[in-house]
Structures are given as structure tokens and as C-alpha cells.
Amino acid sequence: MKLPKNIALALILSSSAFAGDLRVGATPVPAAEILEFAKPILAKQGVNLIVQSFTDYVTPDISLNEGSSDANMYQHRPFLEKMNKDRGFSLVAIKSIYIVPLGFYSKKYKSISEIKNKSTIALPNDPTNYSRALILLHDNGVIKLKDPSNLDCTEFDIIENPKKLKFKQVEAAMLPKVLDGIDAAVINANYALQAGMSIKQAFFHENGKSVYTNVLASRTNNKNNPDIKKLSEVLTSKEVKDFILKKYKGEIIPVQ
């Protein structure tokens, strides 16, 4: 039976309104919030964005690699490269979106000069952010590394530690929670924001020149997905950049 033209057209439009669901993994702040802002913009382009929220740094890549997610946005390039190397994943960065600066925080002291000898400093326990934290401490004169350009540096690469600081590795999401019971900590801004903290409270923090830009990522065999391309274009649009600047007031920095 041949359908009337107006009904046939309506069926075509309804079936193509959403070419398919685009499942994107993210940590709650800021990634999931940015994606939720982008959701209605993408809907106008026929993409039904489903934001999958994760609370750690490992599971989103596992989900992406297994195909439970089509893309994710929460990690910086060195972390992505490390996951590929360590776990045999074939994930690829599609586009740099924003920077989540690491900051050095303390509730026990009011300045870096007040921190006593042999104090304990908590650092993120995932390898790339652990090295990143050590580089931040080097850049601000707290310690001296043999080669601060080595993105895989460890405590064994510290050649000067004037205050004989002790370093304790803690899961990144837990760092704000342990801050009350420790001398100081290097904390990712996304987890600091979730805990109601501000980068302005940090003694020092990374700037916009950091190599640790957070990316939209996907699998190598899915990188040319047209819906992911649309998402990439929306996330780097002026509209989304303005949203990041307005909402996070410099706590999160959009890539220019």
C-alpha cells in the first residue's frame, strides 16, 4: 500500500531525527556538565547524546574499549596514551576540549613556606597524574626532578627534596576527602570543584600552557563516526567555550 506523501514524509523525518544514540562517558564535573549543555545543541543536528557518568578514571576507558561507550571525555592525552600502552587499548584523541588544572591545596597551612619538614603530601595514584603532580611541585620549587620533561617520572627521579617531604598516593577522587587528615595534597580541579573547593584556594596550580589538555576520545575504528564529528565541532564551538568560561570562572580552561 502506498502511503500519502505527507505521511511518508513524516515517517522519514521521525526516523532520521535521531540517526542513533551517541553514548559518551564522562566524570561528573566538568565533563558531564559540559556534555549536558551540548545535548540540546546536538539534538538539533539529529544526535541523541546519552551521557554516561563515571566516578573514576579507569572505568570510562574500559567501557569505551569494550564498546559500551561510543566516546568519552574526561582524560588528558598522556593518560590516554598510558592506558593504550598498559592495557592494549586502541583509543584515540579526537579533539582537545579543555584543561583541568592540578592545584596544590592545604587546610592545615596557609602558605607553602609554612609547610614543615617531613610533611606528608597526597598525590593522585594513577601513573600519569602522579607524574604530573611531581612536575607541578618541581615547577613551583618544592622539589627538583632530574628531568621535568619526563611525563613518566616517579619519586626515584627526585634529586632535591629540601623539606624531606613524604608522598602518599591516593585515588584521585578521594583526595579532597583526605585533605583534612593530611598536610597537603595535589588535587585535580574537577574533584576539587565537586568538593566545593576553588582553584583560588590552591597555593599554586597549572596554567593554560599545560600539555595535559582533556580530550574527546573514541576507538580507532570509530573515530570517523559522523555523530562524533558533530559532537567534536559543538564542544569546540564559541557557544560551549563561553559556557565553560561563564560557569567555571577560570577553574576550567577551554582550549583556544
Side-chain angles (χ1 to χ4, degrees):
M1 183 179 72
K2 189 174 182 180
L3 293 170
K5 287 185 178 179
N6 61 332
I7 297 178
L9 179 60
L11 288 173
I12 291 169
L13 289 174
S14 63
S15 64
S16 63
F18 293 110
D21 294 336
L22 181 63
R23 303 159 302 169
V24 181
T27 45
V29 181
E33 293 178 341
I34 295 170
L35 289 168
E36 289 292 348
F37 178 81
K39 193 171 185 175
I41 304 173
L42 280 163
K44 293 176 183 177
Q45 299 183 32
V47 180
N48 182 31
L49 177 61
I50 297 173
V51 181
Q52 301 169 314
S53 188
F54 296 92
T55 57
D56 70 290
Y57 283 164
V58 177
T59 313
D61 274 351
I62 294 174
S63 176
L64 178 58
N65 184 68
E66 292 176 345
S68 300
S69 301
D70 300 304
N72 67 36
M73 186 176 79
Y74 78 100
Q75 65 192 319
H76 50 66
R77 288 176 184 270
F79 185 90
L80 176 65
E81 292 165 2
K82 182 74 172 173
M83 288 290 281
N84 282 339
K85 180 180 178 182
D86 291 350
R87 294 177 178 257
F89 294 166
S90 296
L91 308 181
V92 60
I94 305 296
K95 185 72 73 73
S96 295
I97 310 298
Y98 59 88
I99 298 168
V100 180
L102 276 186
F104 184 85
Y105 299 83
S106 177
K107 289 186 177 180
K108 191 173 181 179
Y109 301 105
K110 293 182 179 179
S111 69
I112 189 70
S113 61
E114 289 184 8
I115 294 179
K116 296 179 180 179
N117 288 354
K118 298 183 179 180
S119 289
T120 299
I121 313 299
L123 307 177
N125 70 345
D126 59 281
T128 54
N129 280 307
Y130 163 64
S131 301
R132 180 184 178 190
L134 292 173
I135 292 169
L136 177 67
L137 295 176
H138 168 94
D139 289 344
N140 288 275
V142 178
I143 60 172
K144 186 174 181 180
L145 294 168
K146 180 170 59 178
D147 178 11
S149 66
N150 175 15
L151 302 186
D152 293 318
C153 62
T154 69
E155 289 175 56
F156 294 106
D157 296 299
I158 299 173
I159 56 176
E160 290 182 19
N161 183 2
K163 292 195 173 187
K164 297 180 174 57
L165 300 173
K166 300 174 183 177
F167 300 103
K168 180 180 180 179
Q169 295 184 51
V170 176
E171 184 181 346
M174 295 298 296
L175 286 166
K177 297 178 182 178
V178 304
L179 191 56
D180 284 328
I182 208 160
D183 295 302
V186 177
I187 304 176
N188 303 68
N190 58 316
Y191 289 127
L193 280 170
Q194 282 179 240
M197 299 163 61
S198 167
I199 199 74
K200 298 177 182 64
Q201 296 171 258
F203 294 169
F204 49 79
H205 57 82
E206 293 173 320
N207 57 35
K209 295 180 180 180
S210 171
V211 300
Y212 295 93
T213 57
N214 282 52
V215 298
L216 175 67
S218 188
R219 295 180 301 279
T220 303
N221 63 5
N222 197 40
K223 65 180 181 180
N224 295 319
N225 182 326
D227 288 346
I228 292 177
K229 183 178 180 181
K230 289 178 183 178
L231 175 59
S232 174
E233 290 171 351
V234 168
L235 291 173
T236 53
S237 67
K238 184 178 185 302
E239 190 172 1
V240 170
K241 287 181 179 180
D242 288 346
F243 166 78
I244 294 172
L245 290 170
K246 183 178 179 181
K247 182 171 180 62
Y248 301 109
K249 299 178 176 61
E251 307 276 344
I252 306 297
I253 308 164
V255 173
Q256 301 301 316

